[in-house]
Amino acid sequence: MTFPYWIPFENEWWMFASFLFLILGIVGISDFTQKQDWISPDANRKWVHFLVGIFVCISPLIFSTNLWPITLSIIFIFLNGYALRKGFFKGIHSQDRYSYGTVYFPIAYFLLVLFFWNYPELIILSFLVLAISDPLASQVGQSTLFPSKFKIWVDEKTVQGTIAFFSSAFIIIYLGAHSFFDNSNNYLFGLALFTAFGATIAEITSCRGTDNISIPIVCLLFMIGYFNHVSESGQFFELTVSSSSILIFIVIPLFYVAYYYRSLSRSGFYGALIMGIIVTLIGSWRFLFPLAAFFILSSLLSKIVKNTSFYQTKGSARDIVQVYANGGIALLICIFDFIQPNAINFFLFLASVSAAMSDTWATEIGKISKKRPISIVNFIPMDHGLSGGITRIGIIGSLLGSSLFGFTIWCVIPIPSFIAYGIILCGFVGSVFDSFLGATIQAKYETQTGEIIESSQEGAVFISGISWVNNDMVNLMNTAFAPTLMYFYLKNF
């Protein structure tokens, strides 16, 4: 199929204006029906989700460039964010729980049309799954007389709704792919099965509407990975003989073992699984190996020092937030390298993972220090477990972590020595930067008993930092700072 398939107006400004007012009309009608109480608020929201999703799906069919879809997405990111904050247009927002889904939806649209406009068929299929399967799963779960409920992360799901989501996503991808591609039936069956699997994991691991952004992105990346690593032979399909294809069958049991031995929580298992598959398919084994090395070495260290530590941190089992706080930036760099290939991207990726490992090793080894840590800012002694504190053994652990990571990469992947030194340096400096952020901007609270803690509790008073900056946010900043430092380091060579 040739894109755009149909251009209603010679001047696309008119198509943009029509599209904009049509979506605004849907939102306005939903707000009116909400006030008139003609249908339930939940049904109202689902209809808006479905209709807007369908209109979003057809945008690659009628726009010749992504300029207008990008503009539309930006308008609704700000409009929906403002409406959510002020309580406007209640017909499009969830009424039974606080959700940012109406903001995540246009963000997902913005990302896909900005970076993947050259994959129009995949954009259409991805948003069809979001538009149809997501509200269908909710409807089935609510309509079931005795639903089997479960919770992976924050949002509660039902087994019946999850089955409905997977089944409908499979059908949408399977039938839609037959319309766009000339591959064999078996090949497209595999595509639909694989993509529905990824989309379902994205749907069940959600928090306050995050599935509105994770479902289309995971769908699109899984389909790209499938097309890149699966080839046909006659009427049957077979995996290409490549290390990336083989690694897919290693990633799943590897993370399951980590979950079994409680290195990962349930949400962490699913989050790491999605990350591992995407990195493998989009990046190759070179990108997967550093993440695997960081995770395996850090998990082993955590188990070794578990019985000798003087305090307990957030938990030895990493949840999905911790997984993406430590590996999210690396994942984004991997995806960016697929979109804009450049040799430097891989080195930035390595610096980010090195910073995560350096910080993790500083924390774990610092637990066995018999002396109280001191603040990295004013060198005043502080309690064990508080962010911003450093110990001699913790600093040694930080340097050891980045050094071990750099040496491991140098042994396995052919890289120049100065790159290995840069990985070690940026990882270590990133860990120090993490401690500085923990001491200065990470939120801290004081309980009624005078204890200083880092999470809000009933009766606790906010005393320093920025309220929305927690340890996971600091880790994310750390893993973003290290590749930035690596970039300037490489500019000198």
Side-chain angles (χ1 to χ4, degrees), residues 411-458:
C411 290
V412 176
I413 302 175
I415 57 173
S417 297
F418 77 91
I419 295 294
Y421 295 143
I423 293 171
I424 295 171
L425 173 65
C426 294
F428 175 69
V429 174
S431 176
V432 175
F433 180 69
D434 182 284
S435 297
F436 176 78
L437 294 179
T440 55
I441 68 171
Q442 184 172 335
K444 291 182 174 62
Y445 304 82
E446 184 176 359
T447 65
Q448 294 178 345
T449 60
E451 180 185 4
I452 306 300
I453 58 176
E454 296 180 347
S455 59
S456 178
Q457 296 181 2
E458 184 177 354

Side-chain angles (χ1 to χ4, degrees), residues 365-366 369 371-374 390-398:
I365 293 180
S369 174
K371 295 183 178 181
R372 292 177 65 190
I374 60 173
I390 57 174
T391 61
R392 289 181 181 178
I393 193 171
I395 293 175
I396 294 173
S398 175

